[in-house]
């Protein structure tokens, strides 16, 4: 399986070969297979996985009915649904449960999460602008500075860095090193930090960068 759904538990430190490493603990799965996409019916091959329990009355009728019809999840409903591509030669069926063991032997992963929301912020905090002179009489201490030309085009260009809402966006940290996998705790330890706050939902995938490099090396060896 290309990846799994999990949540960010928090950060801690572990000792590996006498070295102290700062790691992020991710709870990965268990992820039941809700639906299997086939080439004949859907035009592509993938598996729709679920994560996190949710009460039926808190789901829309469409989502609850979808889970009952395709995956047979009549007793327990899942809160998050996500599709993943299958590995070459892999076969799964609705009702199967995937765990962190899916990442056994994987050295690097990509983690996608929603960053912490910071609310409204100015350009100094949002984009690390230098600001104006902090001297007596200065009028642009924390302002943006010039925004547009006086002549043509005469308007502010699209994408200009200005004050606004900061954070609460989807970000992916790529090529993160896997320090440990703990099947008994359904946890994976990632070196460094990952986007998002504690208990936030994250998507963990096998690193695309390392897969591309391995494919390139294999192709060059032929």
């Amino acid at each position: 399986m290309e990846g799994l759904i999990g949540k960010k538990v928090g950060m801690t430190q572990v000792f590996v070969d006498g070295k102290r490493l700062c790691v992020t603990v991710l709870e990965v799965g268990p992820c039941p297979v809700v639906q299997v996409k086939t080439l004949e019916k859907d035009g592509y091959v993938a598996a729709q996985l679920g994560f996190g329990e949710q009460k039926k009355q808190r789901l829309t009728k469409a989502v609850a009915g979808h889970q009952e019809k395709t995956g047979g999840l009549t007793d327990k409903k899942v809160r998050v649904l996500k599709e993943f591509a299958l590995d070459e030669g892999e076969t799964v069926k609705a009702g199967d449960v995937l765990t962190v063991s899916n990442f056994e032997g994987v050295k690097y992963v990509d983690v996608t999460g929603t960053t912490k929301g910071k609310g409204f912020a100015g350009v100094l905090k949002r984009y690390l602008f230098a600001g104006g002179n902090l001297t007596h009489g200065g009028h642009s201490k924390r302002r943006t500075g010039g925004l547009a030309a006086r002549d043509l085009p005469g308007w502010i260009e699209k994408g200009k860095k200005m004050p606004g809402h900061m954070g609460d966006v989807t970000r992916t940290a790529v090529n993160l090193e896997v320090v440990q996998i703990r099947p008994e705790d359904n946890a994976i330890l990632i070196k460094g930090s990952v986007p998002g706050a504690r208990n936030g939902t994250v998507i963990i995938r096998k690193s695309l960068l390392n897969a591309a490099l391995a494919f390139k090396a294999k192709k060059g060896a032929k």
Side-chain angles (χ1 to χ4, degrees):
M1 188 68 64
E2 175 196 14
L4 293 178
I5 313 170
K7 75 174 183 179
K8 181 177 178 179
V9 178
M11 294 194 70
T12 185
Q13 57 188 17
V14 295
F15 287 86
V16 178
D17 297 330
K19 295 182 179 180
R20 184 180 64 177
L21 299 178
C22 295
V23 297
T24 301
V25 181
L26 303 179
E27 179 185 333
V28 184
C31 296
V33 178
V34 178
Q35 184 183 17
V36 177
K37 303 285 187 176
T38 61
L39 191 63
E40 296 77 14
K41 184 178 179 180
D42 304 289
Y44 65 99
V45 178
Q48 187 182 72
L49 306 183
F51 176 75
E53 293 185 12
Q54 184 62 281
K55 296 179 180 178
K56 183 178 180 179
Q57 59 265 32
R58 291 185 177 177
L59 297 174
T60 63
K61 290 183 179 179
V63 174
H66 168 72
Q67 295 184 23
E68 292 176 0
K69 178 181 178 181
T70 59
L73 302 177
T74 55
D75 299 329
K76 296 181 180 179
K77 298 294 183 293
V78 292
R79 183 170 54 87
V80 183
L81 291 173
K82 187 72 177 177
E83 283 189 8
F84 295 94
L86 301 179
D87 292 335
E88 186 176 356
E90 183 181 14
T91 57
V92 295
K93 62 181 184 300
D96 290 349
V97 178
L98 303 178
T99 64
V100 72
S101 301
N102 180 67
F103 292 102
E104 288 287 352
V106 177
K107 295 183 179 180
Y108 296 91
V109 294
D110 300 336
V111 180
T112 302
T114 302
T115 61
K116 295 180 180 179
K118 304 291 185 178
F120 188 92
V123 291
L124 267 67
K125 180 177 180 179
R126 194 180 184 195
Y127 296 112
L128 301 179
F129 277 22
N133 295 326
L134 300 179
T135 57
H136 178 69
H139 298 288
S140 299
K141 295 181 175 65
R142 299 184 66 87
R143 290 186 175 183
T144 57
L147 293 177
R150 181 179 179 183
D151 201 354
L152 295 176
W155 56 74
I156 297 176
E157 297 178 357
K158 187 176 182 180
K160 192 73 173 179
K161 293 181 178 179
M162 298 178 68
H165 188 274
M166 181 179 178
D168 195 24
V169 293
T170 301
R171 290 288 182 266
T172 300
V174 301
N175 217 34
L176 302 178
E177 183 180 349
V178 177
V179 177
Q180 289 181 7
I181 293 179
R182 299 182 178 179
E184 65 278 5
D185 299 321
N186 247 0
I188 182 172
L189 276 57
I190 307 296
K191 184 179 180 180
S193 61
V194 302
R198 286 193 298 270
N199 297 321
T201 302
V202 293
I203 306 298
I204 307 99
R205 290 186 174 91
K206 298 172 184 177
S207 176
L208 294 176
L209 177 61
N210 274 272
L213 293 176
F215 176 78
K216 187 176 180 180
K218 183 179 180 180
K219 187 176 180 181
K222 291 183 179 180

